[in-house]
Each structure stands twice: as structure tokens, then as C-alpha cells.
Amino acid sequence: DSSPETEETSLPYPKGWAEDRLTGFQNSAFRNIVGTFATKKESVGLLQEINEAFYSIGENLINPKDTYAAMLLPRCHSAYLAGTRLAMSGQATDTFPSLRACLEFALYALHINSNSDLGNVWMARHDDDKTYKASRTQFAHVKVMETLSKREKALHPIIHKLYTRTIDFGGHPNERSGTSSMKLVRTENGFELPMIYLHGDSTALDHVLKTSAQVGLGSLRIFRLVFPERFAILGINERLDSLKDSG
């Protein structure tokens, strides 16, 4: 391995690390993350820029008017971070549930921001059966997306497309969540269908890195509708427009 040593790779591992199949997998995943960082500079650079935009707004929400959205923003950011980690490791299919959550945190924040009474509905979800059903009804995906359409019609089809992609490629156990990480290997006795857990340099890796950037950017654009003044003051609008052009 010709890669320069880092603090993580130069420190001695605990006894037994990577000697079983669980920690062996984790070790391979980490090495893939480093490899992606080294070889996919443009894609990773875009993810880094989006991450900095998340930090900019998150660290500067002083006395926010919408406390619910302020609660959901860091969860959205955390889901984005989880997605990028999985994406860079090559766990392509497993990235998409985190990306789906990233979008949903942003959409829920906008939905509550647009319908102030829904904050109490969201908080009371687990009080009893009635409030649970009310929460599920009021936060049905179709209603959440209707809110987005009302707030920014041009953004709706973009988020709809991204959300559908997260469902198709791993957010649900749909066909593409299986076949996109499957190989067909012919043998003397027929064929085998091994599943790929960790993708190396491939179209699957490029796809999930690009989708991670698009989802992160889309989520920030949703939060811009919630905190427009703060985005403007911090200069994040210009950064988002620049990232949109590069993504």
C-alpha cells in the first residue's frame, strides 16, 4: 500500500481486529473510504463543500423562530454524513436509506414550518393510538410533497426524482436494490448470483457519490425555504447556486 500513513492507519489496531468477518468487513470499508478520497477528488470535494454549507447554517442558527426545524436540521446533516460515509466505503445499496432520511428530515421541517399546528402533532406521535394515527396521516409523503410544491414549485420535481431514486436503489427492498449490486457468474453447473457488499471503482460507486451530493444539496435548498434570512446573511445562497452548477 503506497498511500501515506495517517493517524488512523499508523496507530496499532487492537488485538483481534479484522480477524473475524465483522471487523474484517469494517476494515475493508474504511480502506475503501480512504481509496475513494484519494481517487475521486472531484466527487469527494463536492461532498465536502456541501458538508461545510450544512455546518455554516447549523452553527449559526441563533434564536431560530422555528424550533422544530432547528431540531430537524442537525438530524438531516447527520443522515447526510452517514450517507457519505457509506457511499465512500462502496456500500452503494446501503447508502440510500440514509439519503432517504436526509430528504425526509428536511421535508418534515418545511412541512411543520408551513403548518405551525403540525409541530404539536409531530411531538405527540407516540402519546396514544389517536395521536399516532394523526401523525401518520398529517405527515404522509404526499402531503409533505404538496407543501414543497406550494413553497417552491420548481424544486418539487427535483426532490421527487431524488426521493424516488432513494426508494428504488435501497430505501425499499425493490428490484434495483438487489440487481444493482449483483453479478452474474457462469459456472460449469449453471450460474451464481453473488451480491456485492463493497463496490470498488465502478459506475455504482460514481452513481451513489453523485446522488449523495444531489440529496445533500437538495436538502439544503429545502432548509433555505425555512431559514431564508439566515441563508442570505451567511452567504450560503451563493454557495448553493455554485454547487448546483458543479453538481
Side-chain angles (χ1 to χ4, degrees):
D1 188 351
S2 60
S3 301
E5 287 191 345
T6 64
E7 182 181 356
E8 289 82 4
T9 56
S10 61
L11 287 173
Y13 289 121
K15 182 178 180 181
W17 175 259
E19 293 179 5
D20 65 281
R21 288 195 281 188
L22 174 62
T23 58
F25 176 84
Q26 307 294 359
N27 191 60
S28 296
F30 172 72
R31 291 175 65 86
N32 275 9
I33 292 173
V34 176
T36 299
F37 174 79
T39 61
K40 301 287 184 180
K41 290 295 187 182
E42 184 175 350
S43 296
V44 173
L46 186 56
L47 296 177
Q48 291 170 320
E49 287 290 331
I50 293 167
N51 186 54
E52 288 305 312
F54 265 114
Y55 273 118
S56 291
I57 185 62
E59 292 174 343
N60 290 282
L61 277 182
I62 303 170
N63 297 321
K65 295 179 181 179
D66 190 330
T67 56
Y68 293 109
M71 290 169 57
L72 289 165
L73 174 61
R75 294 267 41 96
C76 177
H77 182 202
S78 182
Y80 171 76
L81 288 171
T84 58
R85 177 169 53 82
L86 289 165
M88 290 176 66
S89 77
Q91 283 187 260
T93 299
D94 307 300
T95 302
F96 287 98
S98 290
L99 297 184
R100 176 190 176 188
C102 183
L103 287 173
E104 288 184 332
F105 280 121
L107 287 167
Y108 272 41
L110 181 67
H111 194 46
I112 295 173
N113 179 258
S114 303
N115 307 273
S116 58
D117 59 315
L118 291 183
N120 291 331
V121 176
W122 181 68
M123 287 294 291
R125 177 183 174 94
H126 298 290
D127 286 359
D128 53 45
D129 289 343
K130 183 179 179 179
T131 58
Y132 179 77
K133 291 177 182 178
S135 179
R136 292 194 59 180
T137 299
Q138 294 301 322
F139 286 89
H141 183 67
V142 63
K143 290 192 174 184
V144 172
M145 291 299 291
E146 284 176 359
T147 294
L148 175 61
S149 182
K150 291 176 182 177
R151 291 288 291 270
E152 188 174 325
K153 194 172 185 66
L155 186 57
H156 179 275
I158 297 171
I159 299 301
H160 173 71
K161 183 178 180 179
L162 286 174
Y163 187 82
T164 300
R165 192 188 308 169
T166 68
I167 295 293
D168 287 344
F169 282 91
H172 282 179
N174 295 320
E175 172 266 326
R176 288 181 177 176
S177 67
T179 59
S180 62
S181 293
M182 179 188 295
K183 291 195 299 185
L184 175 63
V185 179
R186 297 192 180 278
T187 67
E188 294 181 357
N189 299 320
F191 61 87
E192 296 177 351
L193 297 172
M195 283 288 176
I196 303 170
Y197 286 17
L198 294 172
H199 288 269
D201 192 358
S202 60
T203 55
L205 178 62
D206 290 335
H207 177 246
V208 76
L209 291 173
K210 182 176 182 179
T211 302
S212 296
Q214 292 173 327
V215 166
L217 182 57
S219 298
L220 283 168
R221 292 178 67 187
I222 294 171
F223 272 106
R224 179 167 61 180
L225 301 174
V226 179
F227 302 113
E229 297 87 359
R230 186 60 55 180
F231 270 72
I233 291 171
L234 295 170
I236 301 176
N237 289 333
E238 292 79 6
R239 293 170 66 180
L240 293 187
D241 291 340
S242 174
L243 293 171
K244 181 175 65 174
D245 293 338
S246 63

Short mmCIF file of all heavy atoms in Angstrom, two decimals, residues 1 8 18 26 43 49 60 69 78 96 106 137 141-142 146 171 181 210 222 224 238:
data_model
loop_
_atom_site.label_atom_id
_atom_site.label_comp_id
_atom_site.label_asym_id
_atom_site.label_seq_id
_atom_site.Cartn_x
_atom_site.Cartn_y
_atom_site.Cartn_z
N ASP A 1 0.85 -1.18 0.00
CA ASP A 1 0.00 0.00 0.00
C ASP A 1 0.89 1.23 0.00
O ASP A 1 1.67 1.47 0.93
CB ASP A 1 -0.90 0.00 1.24
CG ASP A 1 -1.94 1.13 1.17
OD1 ASP A 1 -1.85 1.98 0.28
OD2 ASP A 1 -2.84 1.12 2.03
N GLU A 8 -5.03 7.37 11.62
CA GLU A 8 -5.88 6.18 11.74
C GLU A 8 -5.15 4.92 11.30
O GLU A 8 -5.28 3.86 11.91
CB GLU A 8 -7.15 6.36 10.91
CG GLU A 8 -8.15 7.37 11.46
CD GLU A 8 -7.77 8.79 11.10
OE1 GLU A 8 -6.79 8.98 10.34
OE2 GLU A 8 -8.45 9.72 11.56
N ALA A 18 -10.01 -7.21 12.69
CA ALA A 18 -10.01 -7.70 11.30
C ALA A 18 -9.69 -9.19 11.21
O ALA A 18 -9.42 -9.68 10.11
CB ALA A 18 -9.06 -6.89 10.43
N GLN A 26 -15.50 -4.21 8.34
CA GLN A 26 -15.35 -2.81 8.72
C GLN A 26 -14.00 -2.27 8.28
O GLN A 26 -13.88 -1.11 7.84
CB GLN A 26 -15.49 -2.65 10.25
CG GLN A 26 -16.74 -3.25 10.86
CD GLN A 26 -18.02 -2.56 10.43
OE1 GLN A 26 -18.00 -1.61 9.66
NE2 GLN A 26 -19.14 -3.04 10.92
N SER A 43 -15.56 14.31 -6.87
CA SER A 43 -16.79 13.89 -6.20
C SER A 43 -16.72 14.14 -4.71
O SER A 43 -17.68 14.64 -4.10
CB SER A 43 -17.06 12.40 -6.47
OG SER A 43 -17.28 12.16 -7.85
N GLU A 49 -17.84 20.31 0.22
CA GLU A 49 -18.41 21.65 0.11
C GLU A 49 -19.84 21.68 0.67
O GLU A 49 -20.24 22.62 1.37
CB GLU A 49 -18.40 22.12 -1.34
CG GLU A 49 -17.03 22.49 -1.86
CD GLU A 49 -16.51 23.76 -1.24
OE1 GLU A 49 -17.33 24.62 -0.86
OE2 GLU A 49 -15.28 23.90 -1.11
N ASN A 60 -24.87 28.54 13.01
CA ASN A 60 -25.24 29.94 13.10
C ASN A 60 -26.75 30.16 13.20
O ASN A 60 -27.25 31.24 12.86
CB ASN A 60 -24.69 30.69 11.88
CG ASN A 60 -23.19 30.82 11.92
OD1 ASN A 60 -22.64 31.65 12.63
ND2 ASN A 60 -22.52 29.96 11.16
N ALA A 69 -37.80 23.07 13.13
CA ALA A 69 -36.87 22.98 12.01
C ALA A 69 -35.43 23.00 12.51
O ALA A 69 -34.56 22.31 11.96
CB ALA A 69 -37.11 24.13 11.04
N SER A 78 -26.75 14.91 9.98
CA SER A 78 -26.19 13.64 10.44
C SER A 78 -26.49 12.52 9.45
O SER A 78 -25.64 11.66 9.18
CB SER A 78 -26.73 13.30 11.83
OG SER A 78 -26.16 12.10 12.31
N PHE A 96 -28.59 4.36 0.44
CA PHE A 96 -29.83 5.03 0.08
C PHE A 96 -30.84 5.20 1.22
O PHE A 96 -31.57 6.20 1.23
CB PHE A 96 -30.46 4.33 -1.12
CG PHE A 96 -29.69 4.60 -2.39
CD1 PHE A 96 -28.77 3.69 -2.87
CD2 PHE A 96 -29.88 5.79 -3.08
CE1 PHE A 96 -28.04 3.96 -4.02
CE2 PHE A 96 -29.16 6.07 -4.23
CZ PHE A 96 -28.23 5.15 -4.70
N ALA A 106 -35.51 17.09 6.08
CA ALA A 106 -35.68 18.43 5.50
C ALA A 106 -37.13 18.69 5.14
O ALA A 106 -37.67 19.78 5.41
CB ALA A 106 -34.78 18.58 4.27
N THR A 137 -51.08 10.36 9.35
CA THR A 137 -51.93 10.97 8.33
C THR A 137 -51.37 12.31 7.88
O THR A 137 -51.26 12.59 6.68
CB THR A 137 -53.36 11.15 8.86
OG1 THR A 137 -53.91 9.86 9.18
CG2 THR A 137 -54.24 11.82 7.81
N HIS A 141 -46.30 11.10 2.95
CA HIS A 141 -45.35 11.67 2.00
C HIS A 141 -46.03 12.57 0.98
O HIS A 141 -45.48 13.62 0.62
CB HIS A 141 -44.59 10.55 1.28
CG HIS A 141 -43.54 11.04 0.34
ND1 HIS A 141 -42.41 11.71 0.77
CD2 HIS A 141 -43.47 11.00 -1.03
CE1 HIS A 141 -41.68 12.03 -0.27
NE2 HIS A 141 -42.29 11.63 -1.38
N VAL A 142 -47.20 12.20 0.52
CA VAL A 142 -47.88 13.01 -0.48
C VAL A 142 -48.20 14.40 0.08
O VAL A 142 -48.09 15.41 -0.64
CB VAL A 142 -49.16 12.30 -0.98
CG1 VAL A 142 -50.17 12.11 0.16
CG2 VAL A 142 -49.78 13.05 -2.14
N GLU A 146 -46.69 17.96 -1.18
CA GLU A 146 -47.61 19.05 -1.57
C GLU A 146 -47.15 20.38 -0.96
O GLU A 146 -47.22 21.43 -1.60
CB GLU A 146 -49.03 18.72 -1.11
CG GLU A 146 -49.73 17.69 -1.97
CD GLU A 146 -51.10 17.32 -1.42
OE1 GLU A 146 -51.48 17.87 -0.36
OE2 GLU A 146 -51.79 16.49 -2.04
N GLY A 171 -33.78 2.27 -0.44
CA GLY A 171 -34.67 2.70 0.63
C GLY A 171 -35.77 1.70 0.90
O GLY A 171 -36.29 1.62 2.01
N SER A 181 -26.47 -4.36 -7.21
CA SER A 181 -25.27 -4.85 -6.53
C SER A 181 -25.13 -6.36 -6.70
O SER A 181 -24.66 -7.07 -5.81
CB SER A 181 -25.32 -4.49 -5.04
OG SER A 181 -25.22 -3.10 -4.85
N LYS A 210 -22.58 10.68 -6.58
CA LYS A 210 -23.32 11.79 -7.19
C LYS A 210 -24.66 11.99 -6.51
O LYS A 210 -25.07 13.13 -6.22
CB LYS A 210 -23.52 11.53 -8.68
CG LYS A 210 -24.25 12.66 -9.41
CD LYS A 210 -24.34 12.40 -10.90
CE LYS A 210 -25.02 13.56 -11.62
NZ LYS A 210 -25.09 13.34 -13.09
N ILE A 222 -34.10 22.92 0.54
CA ILE A 222 -35.37 22.88 1.28
C ILE A 222 -35.26 23.72 2.55
O ILE A 222 -36.15 24.52 2.86
CB ILE A 222 -35.75 21.43 1.63
CG1 ILE A 222 -36.06 20.63 0.35
CG2 ILE A 222 -36.97 21.40 2.57
CD1 ILE A 222 -36.25 19.14 0.57
N ARG A 224 -33.40 26.18 3.03
CA ARG A 224 -33.33 27.59 2.67
C ARG A 224 -34.72 28.23 2.65
O ARG A 224 -34.86 29.42 2.93
CB ARG A 224 -32.66 27.74 1.30
CG ARG A 224 -32.56 29.18 0.82
CD ARG A 224 -31.63 29.34 -0.35
NE ARG A 224 -32.05 28.58 -1.52
CZ ARG A 224 -31.38 28.57 -2.68
NH1 ARG A 224 -30.24 29.26 -2.79
NH2 ARG A 224 -31.82 27.88 -3.71
N GLU A 238 -25.28 31.85 -2.38
CA GLU A 238 -24.31 31.86 -3.48
C GLU A 238 -23.57 30.53 -3.55
O GLU A 238 -23.29 30.02 -4.64
CB GLU A 238 -23.32 33.01 -3.29
CG GLU A 238 -23.91 34.39 -3.47
CD GLU A 238 -24.69 34.88 -2.25
OE1 GLU A 238 -24.67 34.17 -1.21
OE2 GLU A 238 -25.31 35.95 -2.34
#
